[in-house]
Amino acid sequence: ERDFAFATQNGIAIRMVVKSASGAYDDVVAPWIEAYGDHGVTVNSGEFSGLAYKEAVDAIAAALEQRGLGRKRVQFRLRDWGISRQRYWGCPIPLIHCESCGEVPVPDSQLPVVLPEDLVPDGSGNPLAKTASFRDCACPSCGRPARRETDTMDTFVDSSWYFLRYACADNGAAMVDERVKYWLPVDQYIGGIEHAILHLLYSRFWTKVMRDLKLVGIGEPFGNLLTQGMVLNHIYWQQPAEGRRVYFNPNDVDVEDGAGGAKRYVATRDDGSTLEVVYEGLGTMSKSKNNGVDPQGLVEKYGADTARLFMMFTAPPEQSLEWSDEGVQGSFRFIRRLWKAVYDHVAAGPAPQLDLATLSPAQKALRRAAHQTLAKVTDDIGRRRTFNTAIAAVMELLNAIGRFEDGSPQGRAVVQEAFEIATITLSPIVPHVCHALWASLGHAGALIDQRWPQPDPAALAQDAVTMVVQVNGKLRGQISVPVDAAEETIRAAALAEESVQRFVAGATPRKVVIVPRKLVNVVV
Ligand code: ZN
């Protein structure tokens, strides 16, 4: 991909050398739009043409070696990792030092080595080294007095494989068992960017060691990594005459209009007194800057669903999120709007069964919007992990339901289905409210037991499309035409439109420009 970008930028000709296995790119001709990033069969590669990925790598490596130009080698970039630490907290290293036998592993029958719990650290050095009951032992090999290893393992050791234990947590006799085969690798790893370097590297290394020891069958512990962004909030401080700067929580600061259009920032102390403070700007939430937000306060005021919706909606997960009280209130209002809309619908009584054969164009359009939303949310949550756009899609669906003014039995059936889709698709993010709405929509079972639905292809198929009509570039009306309508048909429909006729005023159009599925411009 980098070579592709480089060649494209510098106008270097690109020749296809890998042909997709599926043949999907066979008919594509230059200029190429993107690099083909999957494995396939080599083409245009001289003696190496017609080879599968691995064969091609081996053949090229062998040819290079034969010609004395290079050799194949696996390169590791993990630096030496000293895992021992001279401190109490950490897993004991199960080794015993004997003057005659050297380093002797603790026999399996004596595992696990457990840390003493009656030890009182005195603040200097490793307390284990001063605890005779832990340190002194007999050599498992010769029985003579020996010394137990008192260094413990770095905490990164535990974090490198703890997730394997989730698959077999009740096994007290082995590190892992065959259940790991079923559950691992982890489908989705979510963590801050700080995890993307050390922890990811260590756990990958550890997994490969366990693979080489035949303890697990996988070489990679995680299928996918998502590094989440930070949460930012405003920072306010005041510098006393002496001593350190004092930071004030944004919750305790009011923004007022000061002289000359400037803002004044006024903090309220615990005792009710106020003082003017300095606004530093936005920064990562931290204790030292006193700009954290306790989610408990939000949960008490608006409910957990609002707190969740706000955080998921405000930014894509990998970007930083700016805390905003207005944003929280906006999320709360959306949930209330959804709640009211569902209850208004339910109040009119149960909706009848949907009859797909007799839908009006408007009913078809709402059904299409609902199933498009379902398709989009499924992809946004399941593949793209962009929860914000998934939520936005449900918000749009709610707007579409609001514009749909068809109280007929069939219209109410379409609305019922649209609300069911909105409730299911929003439920991973707003679980409590959606659980209640699902029940109110007439379902006996819990929403959490419901299967994620599939979009109905028939609903997604579009048979008519709305095109705007302009006269001399000005919007004058719109027409609805079949999706596959010929230009003749579109032209005739546009010219027959009453509002268009008024502006054409009997003149013969000089030109009619058609942008398929979007726009018709009549030039007179
Ligand atoms: Zn010994």
Side-chain angles (χ1 to χ4, degrees), residues 238-311:
Q238 186 257 340
Q239 178 67 58
E242 280 176 40
R244 289 174 164 208
R245 220 173 242 193
V246 181
Y247 286 92
F248 289 84
N249 192 279
N251 271 339
D252 302 326
V253 177
D254 285 319
V255 182
E256 299 172 358
D257 289 324
K263 299 270 182 220
R264 282 180 83 232
Y265 305 96
V266 179
T268 306
R269 291 197 187 91
D270 285 346
D271 63 6
S273 64
T274 59
L275 78 163
E276 195 166 339
V277 292
V278 176
Y279 176 50
E280 188 180 300
L282 278 170
T284 309
M285 282 191 182
S286 73
K287 277 198 178 114
S288 60
K289 298 272 170 93
N290 190 15
N291 65 338
V293 170
D294 180 4
Q296 192 57 36
L298 264 190
V299 169
E300 278 163 19
K301 192 165 176 191
Y302 298 107
D305 280 353
T306 293
R308 246 195 217 100
L309 182 70
F310 163 69
M311 286 185 271

Side-chain angles (χ1 to χ4, degrees), residues 16 19-20 22-32:
M16 181 195 274
K19 184 173 170 303
S20 72
S22 68
Y25 291 78
D26 283 6
D27 299 331
V28 182
V29 290
W32 320 111

